[in-house]
Amino acid sequence: MGVFDGLAEALTTGLGEAITVSPAGGTAREITAIFKMPSELTLSGDVSQRRPMVRAQTSDVSDLAEDDVLIARSQTFRIRLLEPNARGLTDLTLEADNG
């Protein structure tokens, strides 16, 4: 058993909230994940962009892709970037869906 085993579940359970995810062609479902609004992302140089983000267990979002829908705190977002890490967590960069 590794030192980080169970870390993803402990973080999302302890710090997370209910979020609805809707994979394209799939059924909407609720997961528990950490929602950050807004978060600072540094792009190239001094350019910085404010974007909402979600950190979720990779196993909870493995069927999601860019442009899928996510609802957090009664707001609808589109997934713009998915970044899994080696510790069982995936960061989802979001954009408000105003359509």
Side-chain angles (χ1 to χ4, degrees), residues 2-8 55-59 83-91:
V3 68
F4 294 109
D5 289 350
L7 177 65
R55 178 165 287 166
Q57 292 183 62
T58 299
S59 59
E83 297 180 282
N85 67 31
R87 298 208 167 67
L89 293 167
T90 296
D91 288 335

Side-chain angles (χ1 to χ4, degrees), residues 59-74:
S59 59
D60 285 344
V61 296
S62 61
D63 61 337
L64 298 180
E66 288 182 24
D67 211 39
D68 283 348
V69 174
L70 181 147
I71 300 171
R73 298 182 187 166
S74 301

Side-chain angles (χ1 to χ4, degrees), residues 4 7 9 11 17 21 27-29 34 36-37 43 46 48 54 57 61 72 75-77 83 86 90 93 96-97:
F4 294 109
L7 177 65
E9 184 176 1
L11 280 174
E17 58 191 87
V21 295
T27 304
R29 66 182 184 280
I34 301 165
K36 296 187 260 180
M37 172 86 181
L43 302 176
D46 293 325
S48 144
V54 165
Q57 292 183 62
V61 296
Q75 295 179 313
T76 303
F77 300 93
E83 297 180 282
T90 296
T93 301
D97 184 9

